[in-house]
């Protein structure tokens, strides 16, 4: 029997990888590769390194199916390629899927379809919420700032004093240099 390699992914740096790392370590993974990237992104160096390191007889272990594939098609493609290379696949949270068995393959396809369905539902709800907000006259993004804003007036006033540096102005107002220069154009 080969080694077990783990793969973990979070979408943003604010999310905690430990919720995935701990179960992967407990499952016996000798090495765990990880990425901080949206599931939709194609550039995932951790996944690429993990897939490259897998050898026949090894097992790729993930915490959940949606941590691995960008879509149902991508997920099925990865697992099919692994099977062709003689590499097994296990998902710990999705009913302990094990693709070395016919029933595990069936369960994999069912859970992959459900994971894709869940992502599509989230996408549809988000889109519907944005459309409803727009219909009520709400727009996304930051509120526009004009020349009458107190911070803008203060930045312009401080800039007139040659003894005050731009860095000091930005620090005192809690703004970036880019924001400062935007204020000057207003």
């Amino acid at each position: 029997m080969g080694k077990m390699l783990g793969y973990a992914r979070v979408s943003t740096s604010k999310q905690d990888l430990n919720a995935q790392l701990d179960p992967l370590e407990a499952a016996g993974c000798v090495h765990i590769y990880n990425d901080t990237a949206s599931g939709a992104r194609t550039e995932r160096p951790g996944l690429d390194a993990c897939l490259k390191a897998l050898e026949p007889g090894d097992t790729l272990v993930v915490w959940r199916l949606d941590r691995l594939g960008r879509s149902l098609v991508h997920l099925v493609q990865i697992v099919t390629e692994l099977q062709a290379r003689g590499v097994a696949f296990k998902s710990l949270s999705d009913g302990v899927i094990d693709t070395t068995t016919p029933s595990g393959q069936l369960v994999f396809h069912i859970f992959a379809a459900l994971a894709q369905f869940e992502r599509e539902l989230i996408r549809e709800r988000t889109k519907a919420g944005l459309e409803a907000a727009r219909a009520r006259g709400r727009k996304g993004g930051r509120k526009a700032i004009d020349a009458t804003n107190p911070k803008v007036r203060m930045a312009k006033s401080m800039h007139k004093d040659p003894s005050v540096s731009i860095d000091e102005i930005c620090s005192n107002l809690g703004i970036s240099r880019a924001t400062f220069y935007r204020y000057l154009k207003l």
Side-chain angles (χ1 to χ4, degrees):
M1 175 138 178
K3 59 192 175 300
M4 292 176 62
L5 299 180
Y7 176 71
R9 178 186 62 79
V10 289
S11 299
T12 68
S13 59
K14 294 178 182 175
Q15 293 175 322
D16 186 16
L17 265 174
N18 291 325
Q20 296 174 53
L21 298 178
D22 294 343
L24 291 171
E25 287 173 5
C29 293
V30 294
H31 188 76
I32 301 171
Y33 298 84
N34 64 71
D35 285 311
T36 301
S38 165
R41 288 190 54 195
T42 56
E43 305 89 28
R44 291 196 271 166
L47 178 58
D48 294 341
C50 181
L51 294 175
K52 192 173 193 177
L54 288 163
E55 299 173 349
D58 290 348
T59 302
L60 171 60
V61 183
V62 296
W63 179 62
R64 247 180 38 195
L65 287 176
D66 65 350
R67 303 293 88 198
L68 180 62
R70 294 188 314 266
S71 64
L72 175 60
V73 174
H74 184 238
L75 195 58
V76 172
Q77 177 187 6
I78 290 173
V79 174
T80 303
E81 288 173 7
L82 291 175
Q83 287 175 329
R85 292 173 43 199
V87 175
F89 172 74
K90 288 186 181 182
S91 174
L92 301 176
S93 295
D94 300 308
V96 190
I97 296 171
D98 182 353
T99 61
T100 60
T101 66
S103 60
Q105 289 176 359
L106 173 64
V107 171
F108 162 73
H109 288 290
I110 292 169
F111 276 104
L114 291 173
Q116 177 70 17
F117 177 67
E118 179 183 10
R119 281 192 298 273
E120 292 299 322
L121 283 178
I122 291 168
R123 184 179 297 141
E124 285 178 10
R125 284 194 300 261
T126 301
K127 185 178 174 184
L130 290 171
E131 287 173 359
R134 276 189 220 107
R136 289 189 303 275
R138 297 190 64 198
K139 293 189 329 187
R142 292 183 179 176
K143 294 186 191 273
I145 293 180
D146 61 14
T148 62
N149 183 290
K151 252 188 182 178
V152 173
R153 289 196 323 245
M154 181 63 76
K156 288 181 176 183
S157 172
M158 292 172 80
H159 185 60
K160 290 178 184 174
D161 183 351
S163 66
V164 181
S165 72
I166 294 173
D167 286 334
E168 289 174 318
I169 296 170
C170 292
S171 176
N172 287 330
L173 295 177
I175 59 174
S176 68
R177 288 179 77 90
T179 300
F180 169 74
Y181 287 114
R182 246 189 329 268
Y183 284 2
L184 291 181
K185 292 179 183 177
L186 295 176

